[in-house]
Amino acid sequence: MSVEKVDLPLSLTVNPRLEQWLKFETDETVRVATGKVEIGQGVVTALSQIAAEELDLPLDRVVMLSGDSDEGPDERYTSSSLSIMVSGASIRLVCAEARALLVARAALRLNCSAAQLSVADGRFFVDGAASDISYWSVAPEIDWGQTATGSVAPKAPAEYRIVGQNVPRQDLPAKLAGGAYIYDRIPDDVVHARMLRQPGRDAVLRALDEAAVRHAAGGEIEIFQRGNFVAFLGADERSVEAAAAAAVAHAKWANAPDIEPGQQGAAWLRGQPSDDRQYGAEVNPDAPGEVVEARFSRPYIAHASLAPSCALAQFSGEHLTIWSHGQGMHPLRRNIAEVLELPIEAITAKHLNGPGCYGHNGADDVALDVAIIAMHKPGSCIRLQWRREEEFGFEPFGPAMLVDLRVRLDEEGRPADWTAEVWSPTHVQRPGTGSGFLLAAAALPNPPAAPVPQDPLEEAGGGGTRNATPYYDIPKTRILHHLVTAPPVRTSALRTLGALPNVFALEAMIDDLAIRAGADPLDYRLSMLSDPRARAVLKTVAKRADWSQRGKGGEGQGLGLAFARYKNTAAYAAVAVALRVDEQVHLDHIWVVADGGLVINPDGVRNQLEGGAIQGASWTLKEQVTMLGQGVTSLDWDSYPILRFSEIPEIEAEVLNQPEQPSLGVGECSVSPTAAAIGNSVAHALGHRIHDMPLSRERIMAALLN
Amino acid sequence: MAQIFEITVNGEPRQVEAEADLPLIYVLRNELGLTGTRYGCGLEQCGSCMVLIDGEPSYACARAMDSVAGRTVQTIEDLGTVADPHPLQQAFLDEQAGQCGYCLSGILISAKALLDRNPSPSRADIVAALDGHLCRCGAHSRIIRAVDRAAAMLRGEGGV
Ligand code: FES
Ligand code: FES
């Protein structure tokens, strides 16, 4: 194996010791630890493939430990499609180094050179002849406390036998047999809990009609109050559920929010107080050339996980253990330690499977809720599940966005300069990464100061500005970003952040400019797209969708396409959508073609591409959070509909194989181009552009009347 | 006032003490330890809690105990196990149908009811049978394929 100097991935810098990643167990398996967690994306399976590959072991000898704040590495949150790029790169280097150490040690024991050794199933062979030693017999002689150097070169992709294969997800069998979730953990003497939520961070509880609440509960309950934090506890889950449901109407709050009718719309954002920044080139407003402008919008949307968030906690009197389906156990325990004023080491946070979260939903908040209650009842295991209305009402939402595009054309009708002006509340309020705090902290005595919103840095892909800069060859591009600081609801990370509205807007503009230039939208794109990988996904999707046979449009049948490279640095994706429009949109077929560099598990990636396309379609066609008065009013699946089985088109997802290219995060890349391709396909079908999401029945009807 | 109800759950007669209006899901999950039946909304809107009552798909979140008395209830736990999966579960594995998987318990139940009455469902039949179920991860097209595959397996066309 050659030795070279490597820049260590961040996870390995933060968790430098080999033992933080690897443990050779006495049962002849290897425990490989990751801070990333399974959220339905198949990441744990993919990481096990990388480990098995570098260790030269069959997959069943690798046992993954994921999301354990005591025993696993701190890799912050599972987010931004970074798991394979960061955790995968770390595991690859660590395993390559471990293998080299084991081989060197075995060579010493067998008195041969490392070059004479080969490994099969963890056993050493000298010049092809079996020896009596294995990884597991040699491992105890190695100091695993040593720091990873990252200097052992991993295998060349041409040697891969496990990476790049379709490996079935390890978590699915148990899930299909009715097991595997945090929700299944109901200890015999568990104390069930439900919350009365403070309607806003400044709201003060003036009165709670406890008698009425107890009456509604039906069974025995305890009411626990600390400041504006109120919980109902008891042995019977239904009683605490009934108490919490009834309490909403029996609580009187001062200083509750009072949301006005216009505030739920994106249009409201313009003119609100904002933190303003400018990125990119200077653009001369008086330069010659025709200027084309358009305004696009997207309302607040929800994560809308299929189950309301849940957590368990138990305080021994000294140590607090938390079970959670959040996206990062290390940050969770840090954040909870801060609120509870406990030393970090006094808390253990363990991950258990939950419903898909698609970003920052209620999972972290419910963990603080239950921790507060557990501290009040030492010895008891507390189980808290949010009510459905609570998840819909209090999750941090995907922000509404308003996007103004202003494009100056050159003589060929191509963009000479491009300005995207974006209004949006922040896209990240994960405690510890930006400005937010765990929800219940505001209800306790001495609440934290109001957060000063920040967005992810531009280097990290930005938030409201994510993908606002076109990937096309345009001489001058700039972004004017208005980070709206006081939105009516809490907002935070939701799959793709601002990329969906930005790509929806920019790819609509590109289509409209193509029409204006008398060009085919595909040819127009290719005429200003020099990156060969971008061209390849676009051309392939066009072939799959039979683009050359596309009709002239305007008669209710649409075919549209769109392209984006996620964050302009991660995976490439092109999407084509065929649909029909009568009073509403009927999706017929979605084609997705992506390039994510080296792919660890192609079927796992296709699964993500398909899911992303459906979620993107659902946001584009149907979803909108409504709010009025004290808060959110879309509190169930009737008032917050999502795409159903009867609305699902045929979907084909294809991954272009690029084993020699580094892995690029793929989990989010199909979402935004799907939204944009639907927008373009609807415009093709109607002969009329709809600029505002969702593309609802009302908007279609209005467009038809036009 | 709590009463004693007799129900047959996954083939076994059970006596449960419960309020007459207690939704079945609480009994299954908290009394009988059958946690595979999942809570999603409590409103008959998502399908996560689907069980078979006398063979008919029913929302356990909304079925009061007194309407279940004397009846037969079948839950996901009766379908198959990790070691010995039902053809439906095997087909879902073959298609890798699912992401977070939270919707799958309920969907498998409705799919079973469909295949019990219609061994050769069309895509439209499958979609109609599953339309009461939500899947937030967007695993729908794989799920539809998996049910189709399971139907073929159950018809003895094993080589799909
Ligand atoms: S939990 Fe019963 S339908 Fe949602
Ligand atoms: S797989 Fe996550 S909800 Fe269906």
Side-chain angles (χ1 to χ4, degrees), chain B residues 98-119:
Chain B
Q99 290 187 24
C100 81
Y102 196 85
C103 60
L104 297 177
S105 288
I107 285 173
L108 286 164
I109 290 290
S110 286
K112 173 163 194 315
L114 169 69
L115 300 187
D116 283 350
R117 65 167 191 273
N118 179 359

Side-chain angles (χ1 to χ4, degrees), chain A residues 551-559 578-581 588 681-686:
Chain A
K552 68 174 176 21
E555 287 165 356
Q557 299 271 349
L559 180 63
L579 50 74
R580 284 161 295 125
V581 185
D588 287 327
S681 193
V682 168
H684 182 234
L686 293 177

Side-chain angles (χ1 to χ4, degrees), chain A residues 306 355-356 358, chain B residues 98-104 107 134-139 143:
Chain A
L306 197 56
Y358 329 105
Chain B
Q99 290 187 24
C100 81
Y102 196 85
C103 60
L104 297 177
I107 285 173
L134 299 178
C135 171
R136 184 51 161 165
C137 297
I143 290 170

Side-chain angles (χ1 to χ4, degrees), chain B residues 32-56:
Chain B
L32 304 180
L34 297 170
T35 50
T37 299
R38 312 220 159 275
Y39 177 87
C41 67
L43 298 166
E44 299 183 72
Q45 292 176 351
C46 76
S48 304
C49 62
M50 204 68 86
V51 295
L52 297 180
I53 299 180
D54 290 343
E56 281 302 311

Side-chain angles (χ1 to χ4, degrees), chain B residues 134-150:
Chain B
L134 299 178
C135 171
R136 184 51 161 165
C137 297
H140 305 73
S141 41
R142 284 170 183 249
I143 290 170
I144 294 168
R145 276 207 304 276
V147 176
D148 190 47
R149 176 189 279 261

